[in-house]
Amino acid sequence: MDSNAIQIRGLEKVYAAAGNHPEKVALKGVDLDVPEGSIFGLLGPNGAGKSTLINILAGLVIKTAGKVTIWGFDQDVNPRQSRASIGVMPQELNLDPFFTPRAALEVQAGLYGVPKSQRRTDEILEMIGLTDKAEAYARSLSGGMRRRLLLGKALVHHPRILVLDEPTAGVDIELRNMLWQNVRRLNEEGMTIILTTHYLEEAEQMCDEIAIINHGEVIARDTTAALVGRMDGKTLVIHPDGDVPDDLHLPAGVTMEKRRDGALAFSYRRGEIGTGAVLEAVRDAGLRMRDVATEEPDLEDVFVALTRSDDAAA
Ligand code: ADP
Ligand code: MG
């Protein structure tokens, strides 16, 4: 096997029309490699196709076209082995309300054909902090406990690859920390981790590599460091007081744009030049200022920037 835990080529998904929902193209020819041993982030806005991709990996959604190789096993050629290599914590809380956590883990292990002697139910209950609740009905568990149980279920068959679909959307800080601790430890023990999130900061902290997906297409794929470097832009916004001099001499690496409201927006890279230097240059040029503010990019800016360059290339 090469060093990719997952290899995806030309992956397409079209959801058929149903009722008054028209046909939906959710994935448009995705190519993606996830290196073995990494914590890999799949980032994208709502409706981008993240869950569709993950559910295809999990074998829960049938792809329309393309090739998916999980731990060296082609999903179509070796469906059992590819399924056994991956554990998925889904986005939705789909638990049987009448199962206790212990029963849910045992049933899941049974589904994956894990022999009784190799089951680690107690160990998993301990890890997800549900030892005390082992015999409680799922319907009596809090939302956070149910999420933890979903994590446990994803782990019963000792998968090589763990996939978490928006594990921290709407969860409290404590659960979030607990999840990340577990994820880090599992990764240190050699497990490849794939997670989706729409929190850029979280992806930045957790992931070695990131793919950004939008409208069913991968629009960027890089190490986190390189992507964050790309997002290094900063903007100084100045509302001028009076006339703007014609010959504003700007330091190298600073570009200026006039906004509709009359403000001047000076863009530069944080890593290359300090805000103070930009401000000084503008002041030296004789520009009087009524108001000064800075803007830092967020994930949305990155999306806007990336999709804009896509349009330009097309
Ligand atoms: P994400 O997880 O990034 O929010 P999804 O993969 O859930 O995105 O959805 C991608 C697109 O596919 C969306 O437009 C969504 O409405 C559509 N979609 C998802 N699941 C289904 C389904 N079962 N039937 C029809 N359309 C779907
Ligand atoms: Mg989703």
Side-chain angles (χ1 to χ4, degrees):
M1 197 188 98
D2 57 31
S3 59
N4 286 323
I6 289 187
Q7 208 173 62
I8 295 171
R9 291 292 176 272
L11 186 61
E12 290 175 24
K13 176 63 190 178
V14 183
Y15 289 107
N20 43 18
H21 291 284
E23 179 181 280
K24 174 73 199 179
V25 182
L27 295 174
K28 304 172 185 168
V30 167
D31 296 332
L32 197 64
D33 291 334
V34 177
E36 192 187 322
S38 60
I39 301 185
F40 191 94
L42 199 57
L43 219 60
N46 270 337
K50 304 180 297 294
S51 293
T52 298
L53 192 154
I54 274 168
N55 290 334
I56 290 171
L57 294 178
L60 299 171
V61 167
I62 308 295
K63 63 181 187 272
T64 306
K67 186 168 151 154
V68 173
T69 308
I70 301 174
W71 207 255
F73 299 110
D74 185 321
Q75 203 178 39
D76 297 328
V77 182
N78 300 102
R80 270 170 49 91
Q81 289 93 327
S82 72
R83 214 166 89 88
S85 305
I86 193 166
V88 179
M89 177 179 170
Q91 184 171 6
E92 276 111 55
L93 290 168
N94 56 348
L95 287 167
D96 187 320
F98 296 106
F99 281 170
T100 66
R102 179 182 301 284
L105 294 174
E106 287 288 333
V107 167
Q108 184 81 355
L111 283 175
Y112 277 90
V114 182
K116 283 235 153 66
S117 64
Q118 285 175 31
R119 295 192 188 167
R120 310 175 299 166
T121 305
D122 287 314
E123 190 189 317
I124 291 174
L125 283 167
E126 178 78 40
M127 182 187 126
I128 58 178
L130 288 183
T131 305
D132 293 350
K133 294 281 179 185
E135 318 301 340
Y137 283 132
R139 62 161 185 243
S140 72
L141 303 178
S142 70
M145 290 174 185
R146 290 181 205 202
R147 289 218 154 253
R148 273 139 59 187
L149 183 53
L150 288 178
L151 172 65
K153 281 179 70 179
L155 293 169
V156 293
H157 56 296
H158 322 263
R160 303 282 196 165
I161 304 161
L162 173 65
V163 182
L164 308 137
D165 194 1
E166 308 247 6
T168 56
V171 311
D172 61 36
I173 301 249
E174 203 179 336
L175 175 55
R176 204 161 153 143
N177 289 341
M178 179 264 184
L179 272 169
W180 292 146
Q181 265 172 27
N182 277 317
V183 163
R184 280 231 164 78
R185 191 174 51 73
L186 291 165
N187 180 250
E188 276 158 19
E189 289 168 5
M191 204 178 270
T192 303
I193 313 279
I194 301 172
L195 61 96
T196 77
T197 178
H198 53 258
Y199 301 121
L200 178 63
E201 208 183 294
E202 187 165 280
E204 220 175 295
Q205 287 167 6
M206 290 297 296
C207 302
D208 311 315
E209 307 205 17
I210 290 176
I212 296 182
I213 178 168
N214 195 21
H215 298 307
E217 289 177 296
V218 173
I219 55 173
R221 153 82 169 84
D222 220 325
T223 63
T224 306
L227 269 180
V228 169
R230 241 197 251 188
M231 300 171 201
D232 182 36
K234 189 159 178 167
T235 305
L236 178 72
V237 183
I238 294 177
H239 286 269
D241 189 15
D243 291 338
V244 178
D246 292 333
D247 57 341
L248 269 183
H249 183 72
L250 298 172
V254 181
T255 57
M256 190 191 82
E257 189 192 331
K258 223 177 197 149
R259 292 193 174 167
R260 236 169 282 151
D261 63 356
L264 301 177
F266 300 89
S267 300
Y268 50 96
R269 287 184 169 277
R270 258 181 308 183
E272 286 171 12
I273 186 162
T275 304
V278 179
L279 201 53
E280 205 169 308
V282 174
R283 197 184 291 123
D284 288 351
L287 185 77
R288 281 179 297 140
M289 307 168 204
R290 185 158 49 82
D291 187 45
V292 179
T294 56
E295 292 173 357
E296 304 214 16
D298 57 18
L299 187 55
E300 203 179 318
D301 295 319
V302 179
F303 283 128
V304 169
L306 287 170
T307 33
R308 198 193 284 144
S309 65
D310 275 3
D311 291 346

